[in-house]
Amino acid sequence: SQKIEQNSEALNIQEGKTATLTCNYTNYSPAYLQWYRQDPGRGPVFLLLIRENEKEKRKERLKVTFDTTLKQSLFHITASQPADSATYLCAAASGGSYIPTFGRGTSLIVHP
Amino acid sequence: ETGVTQSPTHLIKTRGQQVTLRCSSQSGHNTVSWYQQALGQGPQFIFQYYREEENGRGNFPPRFSGLQFPNYSSELNVNALELDDSALYLCASSLDSSSYNEQFFGPGTRLTVL
């Protein structure tokens, strides 16, 4: 079955460093991947979408890569701040499908 | 422009009961999707409504049903509640049913089944 895997262990980093989160997929050829931020007790907030024919996408301090050979997406936050602390979700869907499959998310904790 | 709203915020029900959750989509959006998010898990797709018709369904039993109204607001109904139905129920709206459209999530309804 299709699987989206994210590291279940929390990522702890110091303020100012770059946070890198990983999303791996198996039994799947997604046409695109999305990254969301979710704060406790809140709904996810869309951050970035990257398509299978794009290697990299940037938005301000955020960068996403999509490697179809490794079946992996990396999500980077540069110059991280304590306000970046949240759970980050990866979601994937096939072309033409409106049904995304979400990973369980990775918690990021940025220490001042 | 108002965002996606959901009601109620919290709900406690007992096993076997029925529940209705409500969602108002963002202004201008005609597509609503519902998700179930168990504690520590990612959201799981329940179904999507596009212009009042069900437009896709995830792996959920028929006791999960929905409606979309002419103003594009939506309801999620769950019959014969089970303990495992305890979760955060999220509604997300988008401009239309295109898979590349950004989804805007509401704050969710926390359902507890005792």
Side-chain angles (χ1 to χ4, degrees):
Chain A
S1 61
Q2 298 170 344
K3 274 188 182 177
I4 304 295
E5 292 173 330
Q6 296 184 256
N7 195 342
S8 58
E9 283 184 22
L11 177 64
N12 286 272
I13 64 168
Q14 283 301 123
E15 183 175 7
K17 300 291 186 186
T18 296
T20 299
L21 306 174
T22 305
C23 174
N24 295 301
Y25 57 90
T26 54
N27 300 324
Y28 214 161
S29 294
Y32 66 89
L33 292 165
Q34 296 176 325
W35 284 87
Y36 290 81
R37 169 186 173 138
Q38 187 172 25
D39 291 285
R42 308 286 294 270
V45 175
F46 172 82
L47 297 173
L48 282 168
L49 178 150
I50 185 166
R51 302 181 191 216
E52 61 180 337
N53 60 350
E54 298 174 315
K55 296 291 184 191
E56 183 180 295
K57 204 84 169 274
R58 289 175 186 261
K59 180 182 175 183
E60 297 170 353
R61 295 186 296 114
L62 309 180
K63 184 178 90 172
V64 172
T65 62
F66 192 170
D67 189 326
T68 54
T69 303
L70 292 178
K71 296 185 181 295
Q72 182 180 81
S73 174
L74 298 179
F75 176 79
H76 306 272
I77 305 176
T78 57
S80 59
Q81 305 164 0
D84 295 327
S85 298
T87 295
Y88 290 86
L89 297 161
C90 169
S94 304
S97 169
Y98 34 76
I99 303 177
T101 300
F102 279 83
R104 62 189 300 174
T106 298
S107 175
L108 171 66
I109 302 167
V110 182
H111 299 275
Chain B
E1 176 181 285
T2 55
V4 178
T5 60
Q6 292 186 243
S7 62
T9 309
H10 296 89
L11 204 49
I12 298 175
K13 291 284 189 178
T14 55
R15 201 169 39 178
Q17 283 189 311
Q18 178 266 341
V19 69
T20 297
L21 309 182
R22 293 179 175 83
C23 169
S24 289
S25 57
Q26 186 156 314
S27 176
H29 289 186
N30 60 25
T31 302
V32 171
S33 301
W34 285 92
Y35 295 84
Q36 180 195 67
Q37 187 175 24
L39 207 57
Q41 302 296 317
Q44 261 198 296
F45 177 80
I46 302 174
F47 43 56
Q48 183 187 82
Y49 278 85
Y50 169 63
R51 294 184 181 273
E52 302 179 60
E53 298 284 332
E54 187 180 288
N55 193 39
R57 190 178 182 92
N59 191 25
F60 280 82
R63 59 189 185 83
F64 285 78
S65 63
L67 276 176
Q68 188 179 32
F69 300 99
N71 66 355
Y72 303 131
S73 65
S74 178
E75 281 182 359
L76 164 65
N77 299 291
V78 188
N79 292 323
L81 284 167
E82 301 176 359
L83 297 179
D84 283 350
D85 296 334
S86 296
L88 181 67
Y89 287 85
L90 296 162
C91 159
S93 75
S94 51
L95 268 176
D96 60 41
S97 62
S98 166
S99 57
Y100 295 98
N101 275 323
E102 179 179 343
Q103 291 190 94
F104 294 80
F105 282 84
T109 293
R110 172 72 62 188
L111 173 64
T112 303
V113 182
L114 303 175

